[in-house]
Amino acid sequence: MIWDRVAPLYDLAVNTLNRRVYYGTGSAVARLIRPGDTVLECACGTGTITAAIAPACARVVATDYSEGMLKQAGKKLARYPNVVVEQADITHLRYADNSFDAVVAANVIHLLPEPGEALKELKRVTRPGGTIIVPTYVIPKKRAHTIFLKLISRCGVHFQEHFDPASYWAFFERMGYARVTYRVVRGRIPCVIASFTKEY
């Protein structure tokens, strides 16, 4: 799996390319979490956002499909006693309905062939009144970003969706989520954080 191979160098690469957004996203997501929350994070990668969330809540279950990413996350998150690191598939979560106060899935929706199905799973495991938080890199249509996409494609990373801010908002509307709040973390490759409440 490509993510297993790139995991040891992932932080270095993203810090070099997009450090401001990489860490700024974690801080922005943490502000959406409440102190007593039990949080599920899907596609946690090396655990950078998890490390920002952990001090802000009661408990985090940090998951990823890639064993290589989980290995890196385990090292980074070992100092947080309220974090559990587990393998999970965002499209088939084994957690019970209404299990978490908040669910986070960062920078993964654009990689999935059926992102709508993943959103249904995130909603299923969120408690009524809980928060679903979906940060995603958006790629403005500029030549430099087109070159970036070609480079990462050669490494084996393929985007199923190439969101810009407008198409990301439209995606949630198509999925039937009308009351979505958007926050932009600006940088070389911006990130739009979509969040919405699971209705009772």
Side-chain angles (χ1 to χ4, degrees):
M1 175 188 284
I2 177 62
W3 300 110
D4 291 340
R5 295 198 299 272
V6 304
L9 297 174
Y10 185 82
D11 282 341
L12 175 63
V14 178
N15 276 327
T16 301
L17 181 68
N18 209 29
R19 180 182 178 86
R20 179 180 174 185
V21 175
Y22 194 41
Y23 288 97
T25 299
S27 299
V29 169
R31 289 194 289 272
L32 301 174
I33 304 294
R34 296 164 295 196
D37 281 355
T38 297
V39 180
L40 172 67
E41 185 184 3
C42 296
C44 71
T46 64
T48 297
I49 290 177
T50 323
I53 293 170
C57 67
R59 183 170 182 262
V60 185
V61 179
T63 71
D64 202 284
Y65 192 72
S66 163
E67 292 180 1
M69 287 292 188
L70 290 173
K71 183 177 179 181
Q72 299 301 316
K75 295 175 187 175
K76 186 180 294 182
L77 301 170
R79 64 192 178 100
Y80 297 103
N82 64 332
V83 175
V84 176
V85 177
E86 298 179 347
Q87 187 173 35
D89 179 350
I90 190 175
T91 62
H92 298 286
L93 297 170
R94 61 180 178 275
Y95 307 105
D97 295 359
N98 308 322
S99 294
F100 299 93
D101 300 300
V103 177
V104 179
N107 298 316
V108 65
I109 288 294
H110 58 285
L111 301 173
L112 301 173
E114 297 290 341
E117 295 305 308
L119 283 178
K120 288 179 186 176
E121 277 291 88
L122 301 181
K123 185 176 179 182
R124 179 184 67 78
V125 300
T126 305
R127 293 182 181 125
T131 306
I132 300 163
I133 305 166
V134 191
T136 297
Y137 291 130
V138 292
I139 312 291
K141 293 181 170 72
K142 295 179 182 176
R143 184 171 180 272
H145 294 127
T146 302
I147 293 170
F148 164 73
L149 289 172
K150 288 179 179 178
L151 285 172
I152 64 170
S153 178
R154 288 181 184 175
C155 294
V157 178
H158 302 290
F159 285 26
Q160 300 294 322
E161 294 271 1
H162 295 144
F163 290 117
D164 60 23
S167 64
Y168 195 47
W169 300 332
F171 163 73
F172 281 96
E173 288 185 359
R174 287 198 312 273
M175 294 296 110
Y177 300 102
R179 297 180 180 178
V180 181
T181 299
Y182 300 94
R183 297 164 179 82
V184 180
V185 182
R186 301 190 184 280
R188 183 174 292 174
I189 301 174
C191 184
V192 174
I193 302 172
S195 63
F196 58 95
T197 300
K198 178 177 175 177
E199 302 296 337
Y200 288 88

